Amino acid sequence: MMVTRVATVAFQGIEAVPVDVQVNITPGLPKIILVGLPDKAVNESGERVRAALIASGLGIPAKRIIVNLAPADLPKEGSHYDLPIALGIMAAIGAMPRDALDNYLALGELGLDGRLAHVGGILPAAIAAQSRGLGLICSAPSGAEAAWAGEDLDIIAAESLLALVNHLTGHQLAMQPKPLKYLPNGALPDLVDVRGQQVARRALEVAAAGGHNMLMIGPPGSGKSMLAARLPSILPPLNPRELLDISMIQSIAGELVNGALSDRRPFRAPHHSASMAALVGGGLRVRPGEVSLAHNGVLFLDELPEFAPSVLDSLRQPLEAGETVIARANARVSYPSRVQLIAAMNPCKCGMAGTPGHSCKRGKACADDYQARVSGPFLDRIDIRIDVPAVTAADMIAPAGQAESSVTVAERVARARDRQRQRFAEHGAPDIFTNAAAGSALIEAVVNPDRESQALLLQAAERFHLSARAYHRVLKVARTLADLAGVDKVGRPHIAEALSYRLNLGVA
Ligand SMILES: Nc1ncnc2c1ncn2[C@@H]1O[C@H](COP(=O)(O)OP(=O)(O)OP(=O)(O)O)[C@@H](O)[C@H]1O
Ligand SMILES: [Mg+2]
C-alpha cells in the first residue's frame, strides 16, 4: 500500500506544530474521506480540493481517497489544509514526482477554480519550516510574509494549483518572493494639539515611559480620547524581538496586510460593544483577541463603564499574566498579551459629576452607580488614575502650537526606557523591557528605596490598606519617575507622586 506524505502545520497559540497529511488511494466508491480530528472548515476541504483538481484539468481518480491528518489527537482547524491535501493526492496519482514534496512544508486555501488563497499563520509556519530545514509552499499573496522568515528559506509562492505543478515539474519556475519593507509610517496625531491639561500630559508621559496602565476620568469634551490617541506618538518603536512576537500574532489573526510588517506599536481601540470573544479571543475558531493584538502595545478602552462588566473581568487574567489562555473542549491555547491598558470614562452617566457648579439630577447615585460598573479587582490593575477636568477658557484661547510636541516627549520616554532595559539586562532579565512588565521580586531588587521613602510607603500602605499588588505597582511607577528624572535612586518625591496617581480617585 502506497502512502504519500506532505508536511504541514497546525496552530496552537502562535506556535506552528508539525502535522503530516497522509494520502492513500484504494479501490472503492469514489470519495475523499478525511480523518484525524478535522473541524468543519477542514472537513469542507475535501469538496474544495475535488473541485480545484478538476478545474485545474488534473482530474481525480474514481477511487476511495483516504486523507489522514497525523497526529490524530491534535485538533485541526482552518482552511490551510486544502493545499497539502491537494498536493498529497496529486503526488499519489503521479501528477508530479513523488519526491518533489519531500523538502517542503505546505499550507494554503484553494478556491473552486484552483486558485490559491492567503491564510493566517504564514509567518509562524515559515519560521517552523526554516527551523526544520524545509522550504515552504504557499499562495502567491502569502509569499512576502513568508519571506520574513529568512533569506535562505526556499519559498514557492504560486498563483494556482496548475502554476504550482508546472513549477514542481520544472516547466515554469515561480519567482522567489522578497520581504516587503515596513509599512510606511504616516504621521500620528501630535501632543502639540492638546491645550492645558498639564497633569494629564505628565501622567501620559509617565505611563508611556514605564508601560503603566492608566485611567482618565473627566467630563465630556475635556480631551481624554484626544490624549489617548496621542500616546502612540510618544512610544518608542518596537525592538526586533517585540516586532517578531506581535507579527506572529497578527499573522495568525490574518491581520498582516500584504505581508508588510510595521515597527509601530499596536494601538487597539475596541468599541464598548465588543464581545468577550472579540476582546480576549476564542469563539468558534480559536483566534487572538484585541488584548493579544495589542501585545507589546496599547489597548485603549474608551467609555470604560459601557463595556459589559463580564467582558472587563475577562481581561483581569491577561492583564496580570501578560498572556491569554483560552480553554477549549479538546485543547488549551495561549497567546501573548502584554499590553498597556489605557482607559477613559466620564465620572457619571450624565458626565458632569464633580464639575464645579454642577449637580447631577440623581445626586450621588449617578456617579456611584456608573463607577460601580467597573469592578474593584479591575481597578486594582490600574496604576495611574487621573482626573481630566474641562479645559479652562484661558487655555482654550491661548494661541495654538504653544504646547510641547510629541517628538520632545518621545525623546524623554525613550531615554527612560533605555535605562529600564539596561537595568533589567544587568539584573539577568534581558526579556523585560519596562518597569510595568517586571515581576514583584525583580522590581523590589531594582527599586531599593531609601529610609525616608520606605517610611512614606509604610505609612501609605497602612492608612490606605494597599494590597500587595498595589504596593508593587506603586514601586514600579516610582521607579519610572526616577528613570524619567534620570536618577538611579528612587527617593521620597518619586514615591509620593506614584502614590498620588494611585490614591487620587479615592480607591486604592
Ligand atoms: N485639551 C484640549 N486641547 C485642545 N482641544 C481639545 C482639548 N480637549 C478637548 N478638545 C477638543 O474637543 C474635542 C473632543 O475631545 P475628546 O473627544 O478628547 O473629549 P473626551 O474627553 O474624550 O470626551 P467624552 O467624555 O465625551 O468622550 C477634541 O477633538 C478637541 O477638538
Ligand atoms: Mg472620549
Side-chain angles (χ1 to χ4, degrees):
M1 183 175 87
M2 271 304 263
V3 174
T4 52
R5 290 192 160 76
V6 182
T8 186
V9 290
F11 297 104
Q12 288 198 308
I14 58 171
E15 228 181 303
V17 187
V19 166
D20 235 8
V21 175
Q22 305 167 347
V23 179
N24 182 26
I25 303 186
T26 59
L29 283 178
K31 191 169 171 36
I32 298 179
I33 300 162
L34 278 164
V35 294
L37 218 58
D39 82 341
K40 194 154 180 304
V42 181
N43 253 322
E44 290 167 348
S45 245
E47 290 313 310
R48 282 195 299 271
V49 168
R50 172 191 299 281
L53 284 172
I54 293 169
S56 310
L58 294 158
I60 189 158
K63 290 183 176 171
R64 195 174 141 95
I65 302 174
I66 302 176
V67 177
N68 179 34
L69 306 174
D73 58 353
L74 192 72
K76 321 286 186 313
E77 290 191 326
S79 54
H80 68 270
Y81 297 101
D82 291 2
L83 179 56
I85 292 172
L87 288 173
I89 295 176
M90 283 152 65
I93 62 177
M96 65 176 80
R98 266 177 191 272
D99 58 1
L101 302 169
D102 282 355
N103 298 315
Y104 289 98
L105 190 157
L107 76 165
E109 184 184 311
L110 276 174
L112 298 181
D113 56 357
R115 274 183 171 278
L116 284 169
H118 178 68
V119 288
I122 292 291
L123 183 62
I127 290 171
Q130 165 93 327
S131 71
R132 287 165 62 188
L134 299 174
L136 187 84
I137 301 179
C138 60
S139 74
S142 306
E145 182 178 329
W148 283 102
E151 271 172 21
D152 51 339
L153 176 68
D154 175 10
I155 303 167
I156 307 175
E159 289 287 350
S160 65
L161 213 46
L162 202 57
L164 190 53
V165 178
N166 286 339
H167 179 93
L168 290 170
T169 51
H171 288 306
Q172 193 177 50
L173 293 186
M175 294 268 285
Q176 170 87 6
K178 296 250 179 311
L180 284 181
K181 283 272 166 283
Y182 289 155
L183 280 181
N185 285 350
L188 289 166
D190 198 289
L191 276 175
V192 75
D193 309 330
V194 179
R195 294 156 187 239
Q197 303 300 15
Q198 293 310 323
V199 173
R201 291 180 68 110
R202 162 78 175 168
L204 195 69
E205 180 173 340
V206 175
H212 305 291
N213 300 337
M214 176 164 109
L215 169 64
M216 294 178 276
I217 304 191
S222 62
K224 301 178 298 295
S225 303
M226 189 183 184
L227 280 156
R230 279 151 183 79
L231 177 58
S233 69
I234 60 172
L235 289 171
L238 295 164
N239 66 38
R241 171 67 205 283
E242 292 173 317
L243 175 70
L244 181 66
D245 280 356
I246 181 63
S247 302
M248 299 268 250
I249 298 171
Q250 290 166 339
S251 170
I252 296 275
E255 295 224 353
L256 277 182
V257 189
N258 301 325
L261 310 196
S262 164
D263 67 350
R264 191 173 272 176
R265 275 177 203 277
F267 182 87
R268 308 286 303 194
H271 188 252
H272 54 69
S273 62
S275 67
M276 196 183 294
L279 223 61
V280 300
L284 209 54
R285 270 195 63 193
V286 182
R287 184 181 182 280
E290 291 293 330
V291 69
S292 301
L293 288 164
H295 178 59
N296 289 333
V298 178
L299 179 68
F300 176 43
L301 303 184
D302 207 353
E303 321 291 354
L304 185 68
E306 303 290 345
F307 283 80
S310 59
V311 169
L312 288 186
D313 281 333
S314 68
L315 284 174
R316 280 160 55 180
Q317 186 262 345
L319 283 178
E320 193 71 5
E323 178 189 52
T324 305
V325 178
I326 303 168
R328 308 283 292 195
N330 46 14
R332 189 175 159 280
V333 300
S334 75
Y335 296 107
S337 319
R338 183 159 303 290
V339 302
Q340 174 173 19
L341 175 80
I342 304 293
M345 63 186 275
N346 298 127
C348 64
K349 189 74 190 172
C350 66
M352 302 296 284
T355 301
H358 173 88
S359 61
C360 300
K361 266 204 207 103
R362 292 181 50 230
K364 194 167 170 308
C366 188
D368 287 351
D369 291 354
Y370 197 58
Q371 295 183 11
R373 292 177 57 92
V374 182
S375 77
F378 186 86
L379 267 188
D380 202 35
R381 287 158 172 77
I382 300 184
D383 321 295
I384 300 179
R385 308 161 190 175
I386 52 158
D387 268 318
V388 183
V391 195
T392 61
D395 282 332
M396 241 11 248
I397 57 166
Q402 301 279 55
E404 204 171 25
S405 72
S406 289
V407 196
T408 322
V409 184
E411 273 170 22
R412 290 197 296 267
V413 168
R415 273 201 298 277
R417 285 219 175 189
D418 281 344
R419 296 176 71 91
Q420 296 165 58
R421 194 172 31 77
Q422 256 173 31
R423 184 179 309 110
F424 290 127
E426 283 162 17
H427 277 78
D431 291 340
I432 303 287
F433 303 123
T434 58
N435 292 327
S440 33
L442 186 58
I443 204 70
E444 278 181 26
V446 300
V447 170
N448 48 47
D450 55 26
R451 190 108 47 84
E452 260 184 48
S453 327
Q454 261 176 355
L456 177 61
L457 257 175
L458 187 69
Q459 205 185 334
E462 282 178 350
R463 169 131 179 254
F464 299 102
H465 310 288
L466 289 188
S467 68
R469 181 194 291 125
Y471 172 81
H472 285 117
R473 285 182 174 262
V474 169
L475 286 188
K476 291 179 186 184
V477 175
R479 183 60 266 177
T480 299
L481 291 166
D483 287 330
L484 266 176
V487 299
D488 283 330
K489 200 110 185 108
V490 172
R492 196 179 154 94
H494 307 129
I495 299 277
E497 189 177 343
L499 279 169
S500 79
Y501 289 138
R502 187 158 198 99
L503 304 174
N504 140 13
L505 302 172
V507 271

